[in-house]
Amino acid sequence: MREGFEIEPAVKIRDLRKVYKVGSEKVIALNSIDMEIERGQICCLLGTSGSGKSTLLNIMAGLEKPTKGTVTVNGGKIESMSEKELAIFRQKNIGFIFQSYNLMGSLTALENVSLPLTFKGMSKGEREKKAEKLLEAVGLKKHIMHKPTQMSGGQQQRVGIARAFVGKPGIVFADEPTGNLDSKTTKEVMELMLNMAKKNNQTLVIVTHDPSIAEFADKVVYILDGDIEKIEEKNK
């Protein structure tokens, strides 16, 4: 690396504010947030229900527009993109893992995981080969032709993880990814996500209300009532 040359962070947020109008009332969901997440970092946004953590994640992912402020993710200015530009940007740069798995019920595990690759112009054979390899990596070799209803919650979340990582996006957002899982499966799923992210130097941002999940992160951002209460850096 050249002296004096700094790598742009994966996420850079400045003076971010989000206000919702509820009837004649104004509800402040986020109040002047400033934060950065380094490339390859495992970051946890920790807070109780209603703290603003999911709103923050949604704005970073371009699913909601900020009322004020700037949000830069993998070099893209999120707040200034159109809906079409955001859709293309997400396809190229972002992976998602959801609490409720969000799998397509009519598709097999193989088809669910290969789906994001259809936007990359790959042949069906190439897409399925990559998807099969990743499903094997998450321990689902025997389940590649199973549909979501034929799998447990933990297995479905493994499919969700494989789908999020299959296109090797620069950043993966996980919204309460272990909320529907027991403690043993939670640990397995967390270790799986971390190993995948570390292997390809991908940035992983996890939203949770569970302090035990924060123990897996390099950086923990504590959010309370729309403000950052404190930021804890680990593994430095």
Side-chain angles (χ1 to χ4, degrees):
M1 189 184 295
R2 297 195 308 273
E3 191 175 341
F5 178 76
E6 290 187 9
I7 296 175
E8 185 76 11
V11 176
K12 186 176 182 179
I13 294 171
R14 291 291 179 267
D15 196 24
L16 176 63
R17 186 173 168 85
K18 180 66 177 180
V19 180
Y20 294 104
K21 284 186 179 178
V22 182
S24 59
E25 297 285 315
K26 284 186 177 180
V27 178
I28 299 171
L30 296 171
N31 187 27
S32 299
I33 299 286
D34 286 294
M35 62 175 280
E36 291 183 5
I37 302 171
E38 295 171 22
R39 292 184 185 275
Q41 197 168 41
I42 311 298
C43 177
C44 178
L45 306 179
L46 181 65
T48 56
S49 178
S51 62
K53 61 188 187 300
S54 290
T55 300
L56 180 55
L57 184 84
N58 288 342
I59 290 174
M60 281 192 269
L63 300 173
E64 290 188 49
K65 289 282 188 183
T67 304
K68 180 188 173 189
T70 60
V71 182
T72 307
V73 176
N74 268 26
K77 301 285 186 185
I78 296 295
E79 78 283 351
S80 61
M81 291 185 198
S82 67
E83 289 304 318
K84 185 178 180 181
E85 287 168 337
L86 280 169
I88 294 167
F89 181 81
R90 282 193 291 265
Q91 287 168 11
K92 291 181 178 178
N93 295 276
I94 295 173
F96 292 97
I97 301 168
F98 304 93
Q99 177 179 348
S100 55
Y101 324 131
N102 281 30
L103 302 177
M104 301 283 282
S106 61
L107 302 183
T108 64
L110 184 69
E111 290 167 335
N112 267 289
V113 175
S114 64
L115 194 60
L117 300 177
T118 57
F119 303 110
K120 295 183 178 288
M122 291 183 188
S123 67
K124 187 172 184 285
E126 191 180 357
R127 293 197 305 267
E128 290 187 348
K129 188 177 178 182
K130 284 181 180 290
E132 188 171 350
K133 185 178 179 183
L134 211 53
L135 283 165
E136 191 172 335
V138 300
L140 292 178
K141 186 177 182 179
K142 295 178 181 178
H143 299 274
I144 62 169
M145 300 312 292
H146 286 181
K147 291 183 179 178
T149 53
Q150 298 170 298
M151 293 182 280
S152 68
Q155 288 167 341
Q156 288 184 66
Q157 193 57 297
R158 286 168 182 264
V159 175
I161 291 167
R163 179 184 59 188
F165 283 96
V166 71
K168 294 189 176 176
I171 186 163
V172 174
F173 292 119
D175 193 359
E176 298 279 8
T178 60
N180 290 336
L181 306 175
D182 60 52
S183 57
K184 180 177 180 290
T185 310
T186 288
K187 188 172 185 293
E188 291 171 355
V189 162
M190 285 302 302
E191 288 175 348
L192 196 57
M193 285 194 297
L194 263 60
N195 289 339
M196 287 205 157
K198 295 284 188 187
K199 183 180 177 183
N200 295 306
N201 195 36
Q202 289 161 292
T203 308
L204 177 60
V205 182
I206 306 163
V207 161
T208 186
H209 65 276
D210 184 352
S212 68
I213 299 299
E215 294 173 14
F216 291 89
D218 304 320
K219 177 180 195 141
V220 184
V221 180
Y222 294 83
I223 300 176
L224 180 67
D225 298 333
D227 284 304
I228 291 178
E229 189 179 22
K230 65 175 178 174
I231 295 177
E232 190 178 279
E233 298 270 3
K234 298 189 283 185
N235 300 339
K236 288 288 183 185

